[in-house]
Amino acid sequence: MELSRLDEPFPPEDIEWRVQQCGIADSGKAWAMVLAYVTNRAIMKRLDDVCGKENWKNEFLPGPDGGVMCGISIRVGDEWITKWDGAEKTQVEAVKGGMSGSMKRSAVQWGIGRYLYGLEENFAEASAEKRQGWNRASFKDKKTQQFKELWWQHPTLPVWALPKPGSSPQQVANQHQETLRSPDDILSEFTEMASSEHDEQSLLALYKATWNALEGHKEQQDKCVEVMRIRKSELKKAA
């Protein structure tokens, strides 16, 4: 049993994305920051493949403040080793959502999907107009206090967050189908959104996501810092 195999990246079809923050800029351009998670189905298959179906198990217990705790146990030699983590119940399907979330966090304790933490927030391609096949998200407009909707597609995973090329025909096909945005496109989107963002906390979140998305592109990262500096100065003067 090579437990180090638990740490290996998953193909894109085993990753799910959730909106962390989203909105529509004054210019009308939609934006969304999303986080990546490994699906529970993929986690169970990884444990089956690496440990064998008979050598792992999970259990759930009530967590503090009404949450759910999950323990994933792996038999190493003659000993069962358990690692625990927990999650709050979700608003939709509270118990099932809490169990799912706690198992994902428990899996991270074993290294499964832990590499995704390196992604932090990512910008997704977003549209204020409904797009067929795109994901829908809602948010509360800060000016009108009304809920609005936008549509988004998941980002492209960087090379380091994908299995080694050639792992499977399906994986190779999926990678070829992904369309990467250029660093200049990412910087341009941040500049536009920053110019219409009046909340410093939201501006900082946008900046962090842009900085991460521009990893390896120093010129655009330097320009990103300059845009952030100018916008913060403008907000201070307007206060």
Side-chain angles (χ1 to χ4, degrees):
M1 183 188 305
E2 297 181 24
L3 292 180
S4 61
R5 289 176 53 205
L6 294 175
D7 303 347
E8 295 176 358
F10 289 83
E13 60 266 27
D14 287 335
I15 304 299
E16 60 184 4
W17 298 84
R18 294 180 186 172
V19 174
Q20 182 78 356
Q21 189 176 357
C22 65
I24 297 177
D26 291 346
S27 63
K29 186 175 181 61
W31 59 272
M33 289 190 298
V34 294
L35 294 174
Y37 299 87
V38 181
T39 66
N40 268 345
R41 172 185 53 77
I43 290 171
M44 291 185 283
K45 186 176 186 305
R46 174 63 57 86
L47 287 165
D48 285 348
D49 292 344
V50 174
C51 305
K53 295 180 182 295
E54 73 281 8
N55 291 320
W56 76 272
K57 60 183 179 180
N58 60 2
E59 55 185 311
F60 298 92
L61 293 174
D65 298 324
V68 180
M69 298 290 296
C70 176
I72 294 180
S73 302
I74 295 178
R75 181 161 52 192
V76 181
D78 295 327
E79 181 182 3
W80 283 95
I81 299 175
T82 305
K83 297 189 178 185
W84 291 85
D85 211 324
E88 296 179 352
K89 294 181 179 179
T90 58
Q91 294 181 351
V92 180
E93 294 186 309
V95 175
K96 182 178 179 181
M99 293 175 67
S100 175
S102 62
M103 183 169 175
K104 290 172 183 175
R105 292 186 178 182
S106 181
V108 170
Q109 298 289 339
W110 282 102
I112 301 174
R114 189 184 297 168
Y115 68 96
L116 292 174
Y117 285 171
L119 294 174
E120 297 189 2
E121 296 95 347
N122 283 261
F123 276 117
E125 184 178 358
S127 170
E129 302 295 330
K130 185 175 181 180
R131 300 287 185 90
Q132 189 67 30
W134 286 31
N135 305 294
R136 180 174 60 87
S138 62
F139 65 96
K140 191 173 186 179
D141 186 271
K142 295 177 182 177
K143 293 182 179 180
T144 65
Q145 297 300 304
Q146 299 294 317
F147 281 96
K148 296 184 177 180
E149 295 182 336
L150 57 79
W151 284 261
W152 61 279
Q153 282 192 317
H154 65 76
T156 300
L157 290 167
V159 174
W160 62 263
L162 291 169
K164 293 180 180 179
S167 297
S168 70
Q170 182 62 45
Q171 176 201 325
V172 173
N174 288 338
Q175 291 184 37
H176 281 300
Q177 290 172 1
E178 298 286 357
T179 302
L180 290 170
R181 291 181 299 157
S182 73
D184 288 335
D185 289 339
I186 296 172
L187 178 63
S188 177
E189 289 180 6
F190 170 68
T191 302
E192 182 177 354
M193 289 184 288
S195 66
S196 60
E197 182 56 68
H198 301 283
D199 181 76
E200 189 166 340
Q201 186 175 359
S202 298
L203 177 64
L204 180 60
L206 289 171
Y207 167 74
K208 285 178 59 180
T210 304
W211 175 268
N212 294 329
L214 292 173
E215 182 180 2
H217 303 279
K218 186 177 184 304
E219 180 182 352
Q220 284 80 6
Q221 281 187 326
D222 289 343
K223 291 180 180 178
C224 178
V225 172
E226 181 65 13
V227 171
M228 180 66 174
R229 184 189 66 78
I230 293 173
R231 186 55 184 155
K232 284 185 66 176
S233 177
E234 291 174 345
L235 291 178
K236 287 181 180 180
K237 290 179 180 180

